[in-house]
Coordinates of all heavy atoms in Angstrom, one line a residue:
D123 N 7.5 -5.7 -10.7 CA 8.6 -6.5 -11.2 C 9.0 -7.5 -10.1 O 9.4 -7.1 -9.0 CB 9.8 -5.5 -11.5 CG 11.0 -6.3 -12.1 OD1 11.4 -7.3 -11.5 OD2 11.6 -5.7 -13.0
R124 N 8.9 -8.8 -10.4 CA 9.1 -9.8 -9.4 C 10.5 -9.8 -8.8 O 10.8 -10.0 -7.6 CB 8.9 -11.2 -10.0 CG 7.5 -11.7 -10.0 CD 6.7 -11.4 -8.8 NE 7.1 -11.9 -7.6 CZ 6.3 -12.0 -6.5 NH1 5.0 -11.6 -6.6 NH2 6.7 -12.4 -5.3
R125 N 11.5 -9.5 -9.7 CA 12.9 -9.5 -9.2 C 13.1 -8.4 -8.2 O 13.7 -8.6 -7.1 CB 13.8 -9.2 -10.4 CG 15.3 -9.2 -10.0 CD 16.2 -8.7 -11.2 NE 15.7 -7.3 -11.7 CZ 16.0 -6.2 -11.0 NH1 16.7 -6.2 -9.9 NH2 15.6 -5.0 -11.6
I126 N 12.5 -7.2 -8.4 CA 12.6 -6.1 -7.5 C 11.9 -6.4 -6.2 O 12.4 -6.2 -5.1 CB 12.0 -4.8 -8.1 CG1 12.9 -4.4 -9.3 CG2 11.9 -3.7 -7.1 CD1 12.3 -3.2 -10.1
V127 N 10.7 -7.0 -6.3 CA 9.9 -7.4 -5.1 C 10.7 -8.4 -4.2 O 11.0 -8.2 -3.0 CB 8.5 -8.0 -5.4 CG1 7.9 -8.7 -4.2 CG2 7.6 -6.9 -5.9
D128 N 11.2 -9.5 -4.9 CA 11.9 -10.5 -4.2 C 13.3 -10.1 -3.7 O 13.7 -10.5 -2.6 CB 12.1 -11.8 -5.1 CG 10.7 -12.4 -5.3 OD1 9.7 -12.1 -4.6 OD2 10.6 -13.2 -6.3
D129 N 14.1 -9.4 -4.5 CA 15.5 -9.1 -4.1 C 15.6 -7.8 -3.3 O 16.6 -7.7 -2.5 CB 16.3 -8.9 -5.4 CG 16.4 -10.2 -6.2 OD1 16.0 -11.2 -5.8 OD2 16.9 -10.1 -7.4
I130 N 14.7 -6.9 -3.4 CA 14.9 -5.6 -2.7 C 13.8 -5.3 -1.8 O 14.0 -5.0 -0.6 CB 15.1 -4.4 -3.8 CG1 16.3 -4.7 -4.6 CG2 15.2 -3.1 -3.1 CD1 16.3 -3.9 -5.9
I131 N 12.5 -5.3 -2.2 CA 11.4 -4.8 -1.4 C 11.1 -5.8 -0.2 O 11.0 -5.3 0.9 CB 10.2 -4.6 -2.3 CG1 10.4 -3.6 -3.4 CG2 9.0 -4.3 -1.4 CD1 10.8 -2.2 -2.8
R132 N 11.0 -7.1 -0.5 CA 10.7 -8.0 0.6 C 11.8 -7.9 1.7 O 11.4 -7.8 2.9 CB 10.7 -9.4 0.1 CG 9.4 -9.8 -0.5 CD 9.4 -11.3 -0.9 NE 8.4 -11.7 -1.7 CZ 7.3 -12.4 -1.4 NH1 7.2 -12.8 -0.1 NH2 6.4 -12.8 -2.3
P133 N 13.1 -7.9 1.4 CA 14.0 -7.8 2.5 C 13.9 -6.4 3.2 O 14.0 -6.4 4.5 CB 15.4 -8.0 1.8 CG 15.1 -8.7 0.5 CD 13.7 -8.3 0.2
L134 N 13.7 -5.4 2.5 CA 13.6 -4.0 3.1 C 12.4 -4.0 4.0 O 12.5 -3.6 5.2 CB 13.5 -3.0 2.0 CG 13.1 -1.6 2.5 CD1 14.2 -1.0 3.5 CD2 12.9 -0.6 1.3
Y135 N 11.2 -4.5 3.5 CA 10.0 -4.4 4.3 C 10.1 -5.4 5.5 O 9.6 -5.0 6.6 CB 8.8 -4.8 3.5 CG 8.4 -3.7 2.5 CD1 9.1 -2.6 2.3 CD2 7.2 -3.8 1.8 CE1 8.7 -1.6 1.4 CE2 6.8 -2.8 0.9 CZ 7.6 -1.7 0.7 OH 7.2 -0.7 -0.2
K136 N 10.8 -6.5 5.4 CA 11.0 -7.4 6.5 C 11.8 -6.7 7.6 O 11.5 -6.7 8.8 CB 11.7 -8.6 6.1 CG 11.9 -9.7 7.1 CD 12.5 -11.0 6.6 CE 12.7 -12.0 7.7 NZ 13.5 -13.1 7.3
D137 N 12.9 -5.9 7.2 CA 13.7 -5.2 8.2 C 12.9 -4.1 8.8 O 13.0 -3.8 10.1 CB 14.9 -4.6 7.5 CG 15.9 -5.6 7.1 OD1 15.8 -6.8 7.5 OD2 16.9 -5.3 6.3
L138 N 12.1 -3.3 8.1 CA 11.3 -2.2 8.6 C 10.3 -2.8 9.6 O 10.0 -2.2 10.7 CB 10.6 -1.5 7.5 CG 11.5 -0.6 6.5 CD1 10.6 -0.1 5.4 CD2 12.1 0.5 7.3
L139 N 9.6 -3.9 9.2 CA 8.6 -4.5 10.1 C 9.3 -5.0 11.4 O 8.7 -4.9 12.5 CB 7.9 -5.7 9.3 CG 6.6 -6.1 9.8 CD1 5.6 -4.9 9.8 CD2 6.0 -7.2 8.9
A140 N 10.4 -5.6 11.3 CA 11.2 -6.1 12.5 C 11.5 -4.9 13.4 O 11.3 -5.1 14.6 CB 12.4 -6.8 12.1
E141 N 11.9 -3.8 12.8 CA 12.1 -2.6 13.7 C 10.8 -2.1 14.3 O 10.8 -1.8 15.5 CB 12.7 -1.5 12.8 CG 13.1 -0.3 13.6 CD 14.2 -0.5 14.6 OE1 15.1 -1.4 14.4 OE2 14.1 0.1 15.7
E142 N 9.7 -2.1 13.6 CA 8.5 -1.7 14.2 C 8.1 -2.6 15.3 O 7.6 -2.1 16.4 CB 7.4 -1.7 13.1 CG 7.5 -0.6 12.1 CD 6.5 -0.6 11.0 OE1 5.5 -1.4 11.1 OE2 6.7 0.2 10.0
N143 N 8.3 -3.9 15.1 CA 7.8 -4.9 16.1 C 8.8 -5.0 17.3 O 8.4 -5.6 18.3 CB 7.6 -6.3 15.5 CG 6.5 -6.2 14.5 OD1 5.5 -5.5 14.7 ND2 6.5 -7.1 13.5
K144 N 10.0 -4.4 17.3 CA 10.9 -4.4 18.4 C 10.4 -3.6 19.6 O 10.8 -3.8 20.7 CB 12.2 -3.8 18.0 CG 13.3 -4.8 17.6 CD 14.6 -4.1 17.6 CE 15.2 -4.1 16.2 NZ 16.4 -3.3 16.1
H145 N 9.5 -2.7 19.2 CA 9.1 -1.7 20.2 C 7.7 -2.1 20.7 O 6.8 -2.4 20.0 CB 9.0 -0.3 19.6 CG 10.3 0.2 19.1 ND1 11.2 0.9 19.8 CD2 11.0 -0.1 17.9 CE1 12.3 1.2 19.1 NE2 12.2 0.5 17.9
T146 N 7.5 -2.0 22.1 CA 6.2 -2.3 22.6 C 5.2 -1.2 22.4 O 4.0 -1.4 22.2 CB 6.2 -2.6 24.1 OG1 7.0 -1.6 24.8 CG2 6.9 -4.0 24.4
N147 N 5.7 0.0 22.3 CA 4.9 1.2 22.0 C 4.8 1.3 20.4 O 5.9 1.5 19.8 CB 5.6 2.4 22.6 CG 4.8 3.7 22.3 OD1 4.6 4.1 21.1 ND2 4.4 4.4 23.3
R148 N 3.6 1.2 19.9 CA 3.4 1.3 18.4 C 4.0 2.5 17.8 O 4.5 2.5 16.7 CB 2.0 1.1 18.1 CG 1.5 -0.4 18.2 CD 0.0 -0.6 17.9 NE -0.4 -0.1 16.6 CZ -0.4 -0.7 15.5 NH1 0.2 -1.9 15.4 NH2 -0.9 -0.2 14.4
K149 N 3.8 3.7 18.4 CA 4.3 5.0 17.9 C 5.8 5.0 17.8 O 6.4 5.4 16.8 CB 3.8 6.1 18.7 CG 4.2 7.5 18.1 CD 3.7 8.7 18.8 CE 4.1 10.0 18.2 NZ 5.3 10.1 17.5
E150 N 6.4 4.5 18.9 CA 7.9 4.4 18.9 C 8.4 3.5 17.8 O 9.4 3.8 17.1 CB 8.4 3.9 20.2 CG 8.3 5.0 21.3 CD 8.7 4.4 22.7 OE1 9.2 3.3 22.8 OE2 8.4 5.1 23.7
G151 N 7.7 2.4 17.6 CA 8.1 1.4 16.5 C 7.9 2.1 15.1 O 8.8 1.9 14.3
L152 N 6.8 2.8 14.9 CA 6.6 3.5 13.7 C 7.7 4.6 13.5 O 8.3 4.7 12.4 CB 5.2 4.1 13.6 CG 4.9 5.0 12.4 CD1 5.0 4.2 11.1 CD2 3.5 5.6 12.6
D153 N 8.0 5.3 14.5 CA 9.0 6.4 14.4 C 10.4 5.8 14.1 O 11.1 6.3 13.2 CB 9.1 7.2 15.7 CG 7.9 8.1 15.9 OD1 7.1 8.3 15.0 OD2 7.7 8.5 17.1
A154 N 10.7 4.6 14.7 CA 12.0 4.0 14.5 C 12.1 3.5 13.0 O 13.1 3.6 12.4 CB 12.2 2.9 15.5

Side-chain angles (χ1 to χ4, degrees):
D123 181 315
R124 276 321 299 195
R125 181 192 56 78
I126 293 171
V127 168
D128 293 341
D129 297 350
I130 299 165
I131 299 298
R132 278 183 196 254
L134 171 61
Y135 285 9
K136 186 177 177 188
D137 290 348
L138 291 172
L139 203 55
E141 184 61 36
E142 287 176 13
N143 293 331
K144 263 196 244 175
H145 302 264
T146 51
N147 178 303
R148 283 178 53 84
K149 184 179 180 331
E150 288 173 8
L152 176 58
D153 290 346

